[in-house]
Amino acid sequence: MPLAVPVLPEGVDPAWLPAAAFRSLGTRRTLIRGSGPLVETVHGEVAGACARFGGRVERDPEPGAGASYDLVLEVGPGLGDEEFAYERTAGSTTVTASGQSGLLYGLFHVVRLGENAFHGERAREVHGPALPLRMLDHWDHVAVHPVMGQVERGYAGGSLFWEDGRARGGTARVRAYGRLLAACGINAVAVNNVNVHETEAHLLTDRIGEVAALADALRPYGIRTHLSVTFAAPIVLGGVDTADPLDARVREWWARATADVYSAIPDFGGYVVKADSEGQPGPFAYGRSHADGANMLAAALAEHGGTVHWRAFVYNHRQDWRDRSTDRARAAYDHFVPLDGQFADNAVLQVKHGPMDFQVREPVSPVLGAMPRTRLALEVQATQEYTGQQRHVCWLGPMWSEVLGFRPEGAARVGELADGLVAVSNVGDDPFWTGHPLAQANLYTLGRLAWQPDADPYRLLDEWIRLTFPAAAPRLVTGLQTALKGSWRTYEKYTAPLGVGFMVQPGHHYGPSVDGYEYSPWGTYHFADRDGVGVDRSAATGTGFAAQYAKPWSEMYESPDTCPDELLLFFHHMSYGHILHSGKTVIQHIYDTHFEGVAEVEEAREAWASLADLVGPARHARVTERYDEQVRSAREWRDQVNSYFFRKSGVVDSHGRRIY
Amino acid sequence: MPLAVPVLPEGVDPAWLPAAAFRSLGTRRTLIRGSGPLVETVHGEVAGACARFGGRVERDPEPGAGASYDLVLEVGPGLGDEEFAYERTAGSTTVTASGQSGLLYGLFHVVRLGENAFHGERAREVHGPALPLRMLDHWDHVAVHPVMGQVERGYAGGSLFWEDGRARGGTARVRAYGRLLAACGINAVAVNNVNVHETEAHLLTDRIGEVAALADALRPYGIRTHLSVTFAAPIVLGGVDTADPLDARVREWWARATADVYSAIPDFGGYVVKADSEGQPGPFAYGRSHADGANMLAAALAEHGGTVHWRAFVYNHRQDWRDRSTDRARAAYDHFVPLDGQFADNAVLQVKHGPMDFQVREPVSPVLGAMPRTRLALEVQATQEYTGQQRHVCWLGPMWSEVLGFRPEGAARVGELADGLVAVSNVGDDPFWTGHPLAQANLYTLGRLAWQPDADPYRLLDEWIRLTFPAAAPRLVTGLQTALKGSWRTYEKYTAPLGVGFMVQPGHHYGPSVDGYEYSPWGTYHFADRDGVGVDRSAATGTGFAAQYAKPWSEMYESPDTCPDELLLFFHHMSYGHILHSGKTVIQHIYDTHFEGVAEVEEAREAWASLADLVGPARHARVTERYDEQVRSAREWRDQVNSYFFRKSGVVDSHGRRIY
């Protein structure tokens, strides 16, 4: 039985799968050969498109029936689970897959190609994902937190998965979400926050049925469901008096609990764990290592085919700001690199892209090149915690692409060294999914980069535009490109300068507060004084963080002369008068970029205003309202940062602009 | 029937009314003459003391019964409602009062005197309160707010009045609270926060029965109950489409609602209103003045003998920090002084002691001397929002005494110009009432200063010590004096310097954040740059706030040469090198006071440690724990403030101490 395409609730945006994106497919004659649940998903997609646009779909006709088809989607031998082969000969396009999700990915490939899928000839080409783990971590809570809301660092309404204290289960909204993810290549989802509170701890045991309902809704789109668990579960849930990973009772408890999970969800993906980090429990309490902790869970998961995602985000979050010898940037490397080779095969170490915490500009984490005998997943934030919280346009494709293209030892790229790309989700129950309609581009680009890390992000952006706005007028395409392409650099310009990071309001992290974290326990300092600003992380005179890199990076970062401007204050404390490679002084760079950044946002808002006739009124109004806030906020950033450094340095702007 | 003394729940501290404080009274023979509810309260007090200590109490014996009494408490003619006459002749002490609460105050006078009440001779002296309004405003909510807790700016647990969404009514705890207040002279209480949220709005109408239950519990101690109401009540509760104070329907609605209140609480005190302030509704929306608003409520209350307390805390809380022409300090004067003479007789304008917001050091509000034709109440905070939140010892008696003794025009003191003293309460359902056991001294001193504004605060402190710790060893008396006497100055030393104010963490206001409010909309700036710090509020070159004072103050504050050091940065922006009257530079003063303040707290902690054998273990442990936090926090203040100004000024400490 073909699986019907989920019908979106009234008012919910179809994102990059509007009906019109299926026009080329839906006007053709398609044959589907093979069987299995995901084949039914594919059949439902084609049938839905044909019902709307007048084409036809047939299923496994009698051999020799002799009809001719525009498109054949078939299950055949010789390919990997997620791969598909694509070719076009003699007026017919064929997509072949061995595993079922490969066929689904092939179908969406055809959708993306549009009319191009049905013209000319194309020799057989095999497509498959470069990274087997392509995952979204939802920092969702079952219960609404009075301060954090329901989704920690969520800016798109409530949770898509949890409502009124229960799982939404197999609602059309959850199924439609799975469909969107499959269409950009995501194959895994963690359904709850890595900070596991009391209510959410129970999802592992007595509330696993609710997780199973979500898994049932996502499975037809090739997505495996994961669960964030608390390391203290044996104590909290099991009544064991320890969570020591080497204690037999603990191992037995996890083995039994995990077996029960697999009874409920046979294709369960595995666990996500934040341990010994920001107050979460972990193996340190028992004198055990992170490898001990991860391997204990890996052992429980192994026989079922599950994976443990162990986060490398471990640092001292109760640092004394007076202590200049401790450097949070060093922490992940210092904690984990000595453990290289000790992690089980089904343990994946999940490493944030930078050494700090999802800032708009950080160097690539040195951990990513330093653990060749460990499976690594690169973790990024699709949710814009530090990049405008989906009130600002900040398309992160180029940033992620830079990270994936970084060559830690001068040879292989991060996108080749890693086994996976994991993003903290930017999705909620908002009608536009992501709060800011243009933030959908981040989610789409993320999925596509996980599939092909060396893809040109600007090509992926165009892909997103063409899918989301089929048959868009050239003026709209250009307008959207203008709004999004440079938006990350623009955001960087009007916020913390030259890689120094933070300078955000404590707690919620929205808007500027230059000294907001300067005297805090969080390890996030800029050390600005009347003479200069920045953190000396050199090996010669600083914290030594620069030496955690292999050459050439360690040498490049070590000296202000060779350190790239954009990371200068991350690695060095510089005087305001220091001349950058750009030829400007540090202080003039600060002033200039902050004036430029605001001007760019003002231009983008104007450009958007001119598109009112080309997009629907709801979308236009939503984006307009957010641009107004972005302009207001960008001006606040500009004026606070410039005033702060003017008051400290006493250096006047060489262009004589207004600084308060 | 004598009213029995309320029995405190197990573990609740008796504060300044321990049983032993009644020993002198309780061993004597007392006659009580007269009738009425408060006479029954007095009788119950004496009977309770006698039951414990073996004395006797008699009531209205037959004339000529011929017995002799150590003490006669009687109702007689010729005195004001709250007054009492005291004399001792021929071995007998007599307290006479006309109004009933006078007799209660006279009884507590006898308790305070202890054995001295029963020796020697004393000519008749009449005692009465200098201020008729002696009030505590409880910023309590019925519902617990997820961020603010149940008591806004409360640091002593939950509300004493509200629990589980309902009034605690006539519980022993509430009655015991009324008794403590009567013993220090308080005669009015407002039972809910001036920020009136939806739940609390209903206390005025359908939930007035709960307020009546609280009033019933407090009435036997001479305390009238007040209610904070929302100016929008006719809309929110009454279904009227306006709250315009000149609209006849609005006036009728308030008249009817107020009549209903008095049906439930015949001696209801009146309303407390925060209008057009920090988002609360008010008359501005209708183009009406604060006098229009206050007088409308006064009219509704007048025939019932009620009073409206209208707060003068009105300012623009959405100021642009870039705008240096707006000065929050000016706001109350600018808003209210032009209305002098327009307020009804039963309207009281409630004015904060300083022009800003309960900082540890502010000049006295110029409003207090500028409205001779308006009834004024001085508002202070017993709750230590900006003075250590009852984790720090900060006895505010000397500060309040300074304010009450200030002579706005060189002649009459604030304590003579004002009709009332109102304090935001520092009490909650904590076993020690005030969180920090030593913060009880603030509440006691407050009540006694309201009774006698020109009392020596240090004498009141000794009174509190003798009552709270009857028969205390001299070492304990000295230790408590040491801990408390200089604690306000100590707190001032290690926090914001020279009257500049704020520098607290935004939101909760605990702990340092020098720039925390510097770029905020709240109008609370210090303008520190690399050359200097402070706000120019002179008439000549600044905001003109100094000119809101009469002479000699306007002239004294106008010039840095004559402005007192302690207020210098409140009135002037000064270079770090400016020499204070003390002979120190501004920057060296900052360093020195911050090191001194911490040293003083460390000494106080040591002094307290030495008293372990003299106070009960629960009290000693509680205070010890708070001293540990105070020391930690004071060091944080010292290091952040010193580092901030060192980084800005570049001036090294002349004593070479460690600055980070």
Side-chain angles (χ1 to χ4, degrees):
Chain A
M1 268 262 298
L3 180 74
V5 174
V7 177
L8 282 172
E10 177 84 24
V12 173
D13 186 62
W16 52 85
L17 292 181
F22 290 79
R23 177 182 301 276
S24 301
L25 173 68
T27 56
R28 297 313 202 283
R29 189 171 178 194
T30 297
L31 172 66
I32 299 173
R33 281 209 197 93
S35 66
L38 268 64
V39 176
E40 303 307 331
T41 306
V42 169
H43 187 170
E45 289 287 344
V46 181
C50 291
R52 180 178 296 262
F53 295 107
R56 285 178 57 191
V57 57
E58 290 177 27
R59 188 74 178 270
D60 299 320
E62 294 295 310
S68 76
Y69 298 95
D70 301 308
L71 175 63
V72 177
L73 299 164
E74 61 182 11
V75 176
L79 292 158
D81 266 0
E82 299 192 309
E83 288 179 334
F84 63 89
Y86 178 90
E87 67 179 317
R88 180 166 173 83
T89 51
S92 181
T93 302
T94 303
V95 172
T96 311
S98 299
Q100 295 173 343
S101 53
L103 200 67
L104 187 62
Y105 294 133
L107 170 75
F108 285 120
H109 182 73
V110 169
V111 171
R112 275 195 298 274
L113 290 173
E115 277 302 299
N116 292 333
F118 302 101
H119 296 291
E121 300 273 308
R122 189 97 180 188
R124 176 181 160 102
E125 53 194 31
V126 174
H127 294 260
L131 302 177
L133 299 167
R134 306 181 303 281
M135 183 167 181
L136 287 177
D137 281 1
H138 281 254
W139 285 358
D140 296 14
H141 294 135
V142 176
V144 177
H145 189 277
V147 176
M148 284 294 187
Q150 190 176 17
V151 182
E152 187 171 322
R153 310 304 178 191
Y155 314 103
S159 168
L160 204 60
F161 294 140
W162 311 96
E163 188 179 31
D164 298 333
R166 294 168 38 240
R168 288 183 196 244
T171 60
R173 188 76 196 268
V174 173
R175 288 187 291 121
Y177 179 55
R179 182 173 176 250
L180 283 170
L181 297 188
C184 68
I186 299 290
N187 69 351
V189 152
V191 296
N192 64 311
N193 187 8
V194 289
N195 293 318
V196 181
H197 302 303
E198 200 192 334
T199 303
E200 292 76 15
H202 286 267
L203 297 175
L204 175 64
T205 52
D206 44 305
R207 297 185 66 170
I208 192 67
E210 295 178 63
V211 183
L214 294 170
D216 290 345
L218 297 170
R219 187 176 295 110
Y221 300 98
I223 292 164
R224 287 175 81 178
T225 297
H226 297 242
L227 197 61
S228 296
V229 296
T230 170
F231 196 78
I235 300 170
V236 176
L237 302 170
V240 187
D241 62 5
T242 176
D244 181 350
L246 300 192
D247 187 295
R249 293 166 300 157
V250 171
R251 300 177 75 86
E252 274 161 33
W253 187 87
W254 276 109
R256 200 168 49 248
T258 304
D260 290 346
V261 168
Y262 278 89
S263 299
I265 310 168
D267 62 345
F268 180 70
Y271 300 136
V272 179
V273 186
K274 175 178 181 179
D276 287 319
S277 170
E278 298 185 330
Q280 294 293 310
F284 285 174
Y286 309 100
R288 312 302 183 190
S289 73
H290 282 282
D292 292 331
N295 291 346
M296 181 267 292
L297 294 175
L301 288 158
E303 61 174 297
H304 308 286
T307 303
V308 57
H309 287 240
W310 192 268
R311 295 182 83 228
F313 184 53
V314 176
Y315 69 100
N316 176 8
H317 70 291
R318 294 193 177 150
Q319 185 176 336
D320 190 327
W321 60 269
R322 303 166 186 86
D323 164 23
R324 295 227 186 174
S325 67
T326 302
D327 180 5
R328 170 168 164 178
R330 294 185 56 108
Y333 186 103
D334 287 344
H335 278 292
F336 286 95
V337 171
L339 302 176
D340 187 33
Q342 297 182 27
F343 287 92
D345 287 346
N346 64 329
V348 169
L349 191 65
Q350 196 164 305
V351 183
K352 290 194 179 189
H353 68 81
M356 296 296 284
D357 190 16
F358 300 134
Q359 299 304 290
V360 68
R361 175 71 68 179
E362 296 187 38
V364 175
S365 170
V367 176
L368 292 165
M371 299 189 70
R373 294 175 295 153
T374 305
R375 290 178 67 195
L376 299 176
L378 172 67
E379 183 180 291
V380 301
Q381 262 191 342
T383 195
Q384 294 170 232
E385 177 177 356
Y386 292 100
T387 51
Q389 302 198 349
Q390 284 132 264
R391 289 184 256 181
H392 297 223
V393 178
C394 186
W395 176 58
L396 296 163
M399 177 170 100
W400 297 332
S401 181
E402 279 188 17
V403 175
L404 290 162
F406 184 77
R407 299 173 191 272
E409 297 186 292
R413 300 187 188 96
V414 166
E416 294 161 321
L417 294 166
D419 263 20
L421 177 61
V422 177
V424 183
S425 165
N426 62 350
V427 167
D429 68 359
D430 174 79
F432 286 101
W433 303 89
T434 52
H436 200 309
L438 300 183
Q440 292 174 1
N442 278 327
L443 185 57
Y444 184 85
T445 307
L446 184 282
R448 297 287 290 140
L449 281 173
W451 183 276
Q452 187 191 350
D454 62 355
D456 174 4
Y458 302 100
R459 185 179 63 71
L460 299 178
L461 177 64
D462 288 345
E463 208 177 270
W464 174 79
I465 292 173
R466 284 199 318 276
L467 277 172
T468 306
F469 305 93
R475 184 158 62 84
L476 177 57
V477 174
T478 310
L480 289 164
Q481 286 170 335
T482 305
L484 287 158
K485 274 176 76 171
S487 58
W488 168 52
R489 291 273 184 179
T490 296
Y491 188 86
E492 182 183 20
K493 282 184 178 179
Y494 62 75
T495 56
L498 296 163
V500 77
F502 290 88
M503 302 192 169
V504 291
Q505 299 240 5
H508 57 67
H509 297 166
Y510 186 76
S513 176
V514 179
D515 269 2
Y517 277 103
E518 190 58 16
Y519 302 94
S520 81
W522 295 94
T524 50
Y525 316 116
H526 53 65
F527 301 123
D529 62 21
R530 74 198 319 256
D531 302 314
V533 55
V535 188
D536 185 353
R537 293 189 163 106
S538 69
T541 57
T543 68
F545 169 73
Q548 289 186 340
Y549 290 86
K551 291 179 187 175
W553 307 108
S554 56
E555 291 174 347
M556 181 186 286
Y557 296 147
E558 177 68 15
S559 164
D561 297 335
T562 50
C563 183
D565 284 352
E566 64 202 19
L567 290 171
L568 184 62
L569 300 184
F570 191 94
F571 283 102
H572 299 282
H573 186 89
M574 303 306 299
S575 73
Y576 295 119
H578 172 83
I579 310 283
L580 299 169
H581 299 303
S582 70
K584 290 181 181 178
T585 61
V586 166
I587 188 73
Q588 193 58 44
H589 172 94
I590 291 173
Y591 297 154
D592 287 353
T593 50
H594 284 77
F595 283 108
E596 285 164 25
V598 172
E600 287 167 14
V601 179
E602 289 168 342
E603 283 158 28
R605 176 169 65 168
E606 267 185 56
W608 178 259
S610 75
L611 303 177
D613 54 326
L614 299 177
V615 296
R619 188 187 310 264
H620 197 268
R622 175 73 75 93
V623 174
T624 298
E625 157 217 316
R626 305 235 159 178
Y627 263 126
D628 289 347
E629 166 55 18
Q630 186 176 2
V631 168
R632 185 207 64 75
S633 176
R635 289 175 181 162
E636 194 66 31
W637 270 101
R638 174 194 66 195
D639 292 339
Q640 286 199 30
V641 171
N642 283 349
S643 294
Y644 179 96
F645 284 106
F646 173 65
R647 291 186 190 179
K648 272 227 153 102
S649 71
V651 179
V652 297
D653 172 36
S654 64
H655 301 293
R657 290 162 294 196
R658 181 74 189 268
I659 295 175
Y660 296 89
Chain B
M1 269 263 297
L3 180 74
V5 174
V7 177
L8 283 172
E10 177 83 24
V12 174
D13 186 62
W16 51 86
L17 293 181
F22 290 78
R23 176 181 300 275
S24 300
L25 173 68
T27 55
R28 295 315 200 282
R29 188 171 179 194
T30 298
L31 172 65
I32 299 175
R33 282 209 198 95
S35 65
L38 267 65
V39 175
E40 302 307 331
T41 307
V42 169
H43 188 170
E45 289 288 344
V46 181
C50 291
R52 179 178 297 263
F53 294 108
R56 285 179 58 193
V57 57
E58 290 177 26
R59 187 77 177 270
D60 298 318
E62 293 297 311
S68 77
Y69 298 95
D70 301 308
L71 175 63
V72 177
L73 300 164
E74 62 183 9
V75 176
L79 292 159
D81 266 1
E82 299 191 309
E83 288 180 336
F84 63 90
Y86 177 90
E87 67 180 317
R88 181 166 174 84
T89 52
S92 181
T93 302
T94 303
V95 173
T96 312
S98 299
Q100 295 172 343
S101 53
L103 199 67
L104 187 62
Y105 293 133
L107 170 76
F108 285 120
H109 182 72
V110 169
V111 171
R112 276 195 297 273
L113 289 173
E115 278 301 301
N116 291 333
F118 301 101
H119 296 291
E121 300 273 308
R122 189 99 181 188
R124 176 180 160 101
E125 53 195 32
V126 175
H127 294 259
L131 302 177
L133 299 167
R134 307 181 302 281
M135 183 167 181
L136 287 176
D137 281 2
H138 281 254
W139 286 357
D140 296 14
H141 294 136
V142 176
V144 177
H145 188 278
V147 176
M148 284 294 186
Q150 190 176 17
V151 182
E152 187 171 322
R153 310 305 178 191
Y155 314 103
S159 169
L160 204 60
F161 294 139
W162 310 96
E163 188 178 31
D164 298 334
R166 294 169 37 241
R168 288 183 196 241
T171 60
R173 188 78 196 267
V174 173
R175 288 187 290 120
Y177 179 55
R179 182 172 175 250
L180 283 170
L181 297 189
C184 67
I186 299 289
N187 69 351
V189 152
V191 296
N192 65 310
N193 187 7
V194 290
N195 293 319
V196 181
H197 302 303
E198 199 191 334
T199 303
E200 292 76 16
H202 286 267
L203 297 175
L204 175 63
T205 52
D206 45 304
R207 297 186 67 169
I208 192 66
E210 294 178 63
V211 182
L214 294 170
D216 289 345
L218 298 170
R219 186 176 296 111
Y221 299 97
I223 292 164
R224 288 175 81 178
T225 297
H226 296 242
L227 196 62
S228 296
V229 295
T230 170
F231 196 78
I235 300 170
V236 176
L237 301 170
V240 187
D241 62 5
T242 176
D244 181 351
L246 300 193
D247 187 295
R249 293 166 301 157
V250 171
R251 301 178 74 86
E252 275 162 33
W253 187 86
W254 275 109
R256 198 167 51 247
T258 304
D260 290 347
V261 168
Y262 277 90
S263 299
I265 311 168
D267 62 345
F268 179 70
Y271 300 136
V272 179
V273 186
K274 176 178 180 179
D276 287 318
S277 171
E278 299 185 331
Q280 294 294 309
F284 285 173
Y286 309 100
R288 312 301 183 191
S289 74
H290 281 282
D292 293 331
N295 291 345
M296 181 267 292
L297 294 174
L301 289 159
E303 63 174 295
H304 308 286
T307 303
V308 57
H309 287 239
W310 192 269
R311 295 181 83 229
F313 183 55
V314 176
Y315 69 101
N316 177 7
H317 70 290
R318 294 193 175 149
Q319 184 176 337
D320 191 327
W321 60 268
R322 303 165 185 86
D323 165 24
R324 295 229 186 172
S325 67
T326 302
D327 180 4
R328 170 168 163 178
R330 294 185 56 108
Y333 187 103
D334 288 343
H335 277 293
F336 285 95
V337 172
L339 302 177
D340 187 34
Q342 296 181 27
F343 286 92
D345 287 346
N346 64 327
V348 170
L349 191 65
Q350 195 163 305
V351 182
K352 289 194 180 187
H353 68 81
M356 296 297 283
D357 191 16
F358 301 133
Q359 300 304 290
V360 68
R361 176 69 69 178
E362 296 187 38
V364 175
S365 169
V367 176
L368 292 165
M371 298 187 71
R373 293 175 295 153
T374 306
R375 290 178 67 197
L376 299 176
L378 173 67
E379 184 181 290
V380 301
Q381 262 190 342
T383 195
Q384 294 170 232
E385 176 177 358
Y386 292 100
T387 51
Q389 304 198 349
Q390 283 132 264
R391 288 184 257 182
H392 297 223
V393 179
C394 186
W395 175 60
L396 295 164
M399 177 170 101
W400 298 331
S401 181
E402 280 188 17
V403 175
L404 290 162
F406 184 77
R407 300 172 191 271
E409 297 183 293
R413 300 187 188 95
V414 166
E416 294 161 321
L417 294 167
D419 263 19
L421 177 61
V422 177
V424 183
S425 165
N426 62 349
V427 166
D429 67 0
D430 174 78
F432 286 101
W433 303 89
T434 52
H436 200 309
L438 300 183
Q440 292 174 1
N442 278 326
L443 186 57
Y444 184 85
T445 307
L446 184 282
R448 298 287 291 139
L449 280 174
W451 184 276
Q452 187 192 348
D454 61 355
D456 174 3
Y458 301 100
R459 185 179 63 70
L460 300 178
L461 177 63
D462 288 343
E463 206 176 272
W464 174 78
I465 292 173
R466 283 201 317 277
L467 277 172
T468 306
F469 304 93
R475 185 159 61 85
L476 178 57
V477 174
T478 310
L480 289 163
Q481 286 172 334
T482 305
L484 287 157
K485 273 178 76 171
S487 57
W488 169 50
R489 291 273 182 177
T490 297
Y491 188 86
E492 182 183 21
K493 281 183 179 181
Y494 61 76
T495 55
L498 296 165
V500 76
F502 289 89
M503 301 191 170
V504 292
Q505 299 242 5
H508 57 68
H509 298 166
Y510 186 75
S513 176
V514 180
D515 269 2
Y517 277 104
E518 190 58 16
Y519 302 93
S520 81
W522 295 94
T524 51
Y525 315 117
H526 54 64
F527 302 121
D529 61 22
R530 74 198 319 257
D531 302 315
V533 56
V535 188
D536 185 353
R537 293 190 163 106
S538 70
T541 57
T543 69
F545 169 73
Q548 289 186 340
Y549 289 87
K551 290 179 188 173
W553 307 107
S554 56
E555 290 172 348
M556 180 186 289
Y557 296 147
E558 176 69 14
S559 163
D561 296 336
T562 50
C563 184
D565 283 354
E566 65 202 19
L567 290 171
L568 184 62
L569 300 184
F570 192 93
F571 283 102
H572 299 281
H573 187 89
M574 304 306 300
S575 74
Y576 294 119
H578 172 82
I579 310 283
L580 298 169
H581 299 304
S582 70
K584 291 182 181 177
T585 61
V586 166
I587 188 73
Q588 194 58 45
H589 171 93
I590 292 173
Y591 296 155
D592 287 351
T593 50
H594 284 77
F595 283 107
E596 284 165 25
V598 171
E600 287 167 16
V601 178
E602 288 168 342
E603 284 159 27
R605 177 169 65 168
E606 268 185 57
W608 178 259
S610 75
L611 303 177
D613 53 325
L614 299 177
V615 295
R619 189 187 309 263
H620 197 267
R622 175 73 75 93
V623 173
T624 299
E625 158 217 314
R626 305 232 161 182
Y627 263 126
D628 289 346
E629 166 56 18
Q630 185 176 2
V631 167
R632 185 207 64 76
S633 176
R635 290 175 182 163
E636 193 67 30
W637 270 101
R638 174 194 67 194
D639 292 339
Q640 286 200 30
V641 170
N642 283 349
S643 294
Y644 180 95
F645 285 105
F646 174 65
R647 290 185 191 181
K648 272 226 155 102
S649 72
V651 178
V652 297
D653 172 36
S654 64
H655 301 291
R657 291 163 293 197
R658 181 77 189 268
I659 295 174
Y660 297 88

